[in-house]
Amino acid sequence: MLVLVELLVNFHPAKVKSRATYALSAVVMTLIALCGSASVCRCFGRPWPQALTWAVVTAGCVAAAYVLAYPFVRGRLTAR
């Protein structure tokens, strides 16, 4: 749980300074959404196929949010 909190703090989009870190942040947050959504669905007794479907939908929404937000944050990101 501590590792998850550390990832969320270090890769939060507001703290990211470079394009590479923004891309890494998108990957990390998408993986957190994928794993978290699947585990929450399983905790509530959903079967694996339904849990994985929800996980993919949630992760897709997170990835889409990063792609859609990029034009707005591009100006403050450095090339490295």
Side-chain angles (χ1 to χ4, degrees):
M1 185 65 175
L2 187 58
V3 172
L4 178 62
V5 171
E6 188 70 24
L7 286 171
L8 287 171
V9 168
N10 287 335
F11 289 106
H12 191 276
K15 296 184 99 179
V16 171
K17 303 284 188 232
S18 71
R19 291 181 193 148
T21 312
Y22 186 81
L24 183 60
S25 173
V27 170
V28 167
M29 293 299 182
T30 301
L31 288 174
I32 289 172
L34 185 67
C35 297
S37 181
S39 61
V40 166
C41 285
R42 287 298 297 156
C43 285
F44 285 109
R46 301 286 185 224
W48 272 111
Q50 187 178 13
L52 291 177
T53 301
W54 275 108
V56 169
V57 168
T58 305
C61 290
V62 169
Y66 268 86
V67 170
L68 292 173
Y70 182 74
F72 300 103
V73 298
R74 180 177 46 204
R76 69 173 178 81
L77 298 176
T78 61
R80 56 181 184 98

